[in-house]
Amino acid sequence: MTKPRDDHAQIKLARRAFWTGAAFYGLIAFEFFYMATPFAAWFYAVYGPGLDLLEGVGPANWTIRFFLPHVSEATSSPLIAVLEPLGAALFFGGLAAFAIGAVQIYRAKIKRLPAVTGGLYRHVRHPQYLALIVSGIGMTLLWPRFLVLIGTVVVIFVYVALARAEERLCLATYPGYAAYMERSGMFLPRGWLPASPLRPAGAAGFALAFAAALAGALGLAFLLRHHAVASLVVRSEPEALYLAVAPIDAAAHAEVAALVRTSPEARALFPEEGALIAYVLPQTMYVAEIPMDLPAGRQFGHSVPRDADPARWKVILARPELPAGAPLTGLAMLREAVNKTALLELHLDLSADAVTATLPPPAAPFYADHQVPLF
């Protein structure tokens, strides 16, 4: 049996690892919060260079890509459509459960009570860690970069190591803790799982379990990404992949592409080899991640305007930035692109069958040229 002093040292080491991992994960996840604030551009100016650095490293640039849609609100997949609201429920539900657990813990500390074994702790020994795990999974669905997913898996395993070290200390400190462990589970109520994969024996077993969990999570994320991209509402033409940011019917989608081809300014930009990305969205929808004109009094957002005119659309033509040897057309091009450069904005009136305005890209895009979600 390990001595209490050794357990204290292990807890200190585990907590140090936790805060290191949490700081890294928090820095990544914080991107989600400031992207939704008026200070997003300023924060991105500080944070973006790190993403740009990863973008320029071929073997690592996949880590900054998104495996679920963020820009596009249009998808043909019921699964993809439900993941974002599910992520919000997990994120906020986990934070609420963590707060309840914190009240129980600090109440016991203030009153100098023994180990907390009631309330949230009745059937689960570490409900606060569980709550943070649930909240972290929710964050990963809300801001689905591969980098966030990697950070989430790292932090989860640090929680496991910290929980195991704390339990050894509790066994040496509280006489009834062994009986409590017999009737409760570490992160889930006892009996919910036949055998927990999160209790490997020894450091080698723990490292193997971590590697297996990370590989499994990344494998699932790559499958989700493939499915998400295949479920986007697109129209593939020789000159461009017309990606619908908002829902659009097939006839209107085809008319949009036909109208773009009538524009001399657009035709001058069509590449001799490969294709452009053409973002299609209502004229009154403004998405910061797609460089576009923002009229005075308007705000960026991701919601499709309820009063959007079904006949009035805009198209943002952008050149994809692709690794050497990447496919130059279709969905494969979108999967491989690591960034984009806006070239032209066109306003279309389908009822008049006309291009009503042609605008250059903004001189100072909201996120400059930093890597932001492509779809």
Side-chain angles (χ1 to χ4, degrees):
M1 178 182 294
T2 58
K3 297 180 181 179
R5 183 180 300 175
D6 295 334
D7 291 325
H8 277 294
Q10 289 182 21
I11 289 176
K12 186 176 181 180
L13 181 62
R15 284 180 174 163
R16 188 179 301 163
F18 163 73
W19 286 115
T20 301
F24 172 72
Y25 174 66
L27 182 63
I28 300 166
F30 185 60
E31 181 186 7
F32 166 74
F33 293 99
Y34 67 67
M35 285 284 276
T37 73
F39 306 102
W42 184 85
F43 280 120
Y44 221 82
V46 177
Y47 181 89
L51 296 178
D52 297 339
L53 178 64
L54 286 173
E55 179 186 336
V57 180
N61 62 24
W62 62 272
T63 61
I64 62 176
R65 298 181 187 177
F66 281 68
F67 57 87
L68 292 174
H70 181 73
V71 170
S72 178
E73 296 294 310
T75 178
S76 62
S77 169
L79 172 63
I80 299 301
V82 79
L83 287 179
E84 185 172 344
L86 174 62
L90 292 175
F91 177 70
F92 290 108
L95 290 183
F98 176 81
I100 294 171
V103 170
Q104 284 190 258
I105 288 293
Y106 284 101
R107 176 179 174 272
K109 287 185 176 181
I110 292 171
K111 294 190 174 185
R112 298 184 180 278
L113 298 175
V116 179
T117 58
L120 292 181
Y121 289 80
R122 183 175 181 181
H123 299 293
V124 177
R125 298 193 293 278
H126 302 281
Q128 281 190 289
Y129 290 158
L130 173 63
L132 290 176
I133 289 171
V134 169
S135 186
I137 293 171
M139 169 58 69
T140 305
L141 293 177
L142 287 172
W143 199 241
R145 283 193 193 272
F146 284 102
L147 203 57
V148 177
L149 176 63
I150 293 169
T152 300
V153 175
V154 170
V155 169
I156 287 173
F157 271 79
V158 173
Y159 285 146
V160 174
L162 187 55
R164 293 174 67 178
E166 288 180 352
E167 286 185 351
R168 287 194 294 270
L169 182 61
C170 287
L171 281 171
T173 305
Y174 303 110
Y177 199 80
Y180 169 59
M181 290 182 66
E182 286 297 320
R183 64 176 186 270
S184 63
M186 178 178 278
F187 295 111
L188 294 174
R190 182 170 288 277
W192 280 33
L193 293 174
S196 173
L198 298 180
R199 292 189 64 88
F206 193 81
L208 183 61
F210 168 75
L214 182 60
L218 289 175
L220 178 60
F222 275 107
L223 288 175
L224 277 174
R225 189 176 198 272
H226 184 87
H227 175 65
V229 173
S231 303
L232 293 171
V233 179
V234 298
R235 182 176 182 84
S236 185
E237 299 286 353
E239 73 280 358
L241 180 73
Y242 292 85
L243 170 60
V245 176
I248 185 173
D249 63 66
H253 211 166
E255 190 172 354
V256 164
L259 277 176
V260 170
R261 288 192 292 271
T262 68
S263 165
E265 294 88 348
R267 289 199 304 271
L269 296 172
F270 294 157
E272 294 183 2
E273 183 180 5
L276 301 176
I277 300 175
Y279 292 96
V280 181
L281 61 164
Q283 280 188 27
T284 53
M285 185 176 180
Y286 305 94
V287 180
E289 291 87 349
I290 307 172
M292 65 179 67
D293 179 64
L294 182 68
R298 295 286 188 169
Q299 292 183 337
F300 287 121
H302 283 231
S303 299
V304 180
R306 293 183 179 180
D307 60 348
D309 187 337
R312 293 184 176 274
W313 297 84
K314 61 185 172 186
V315 174
I316 313 298
L317 293 176
R319 180 187 301 111
E321 295 182 13
L322 297 162
L328 299 176
T329 59
L331 287 176
M333 170 192 70
L334 189 63
R335 290 191 187 98
E336 296 299 323
V338 294
N339 211 335
K340 60 185 178 292
T341 302
L343 303 173
L344 188 68
E345 177 176 339
L346 299 100
H347 291 196
L348 316 174
D349 186 346
L350 302 190
S351 62
D353 196 29
V355 178
T356 58
T358 302
L359 305 172
F366 193 71
Y367 292 117
D369 59 350
H370 296 309
Q371 202 276 354
V372 293
L374 284 164
F375 57 84

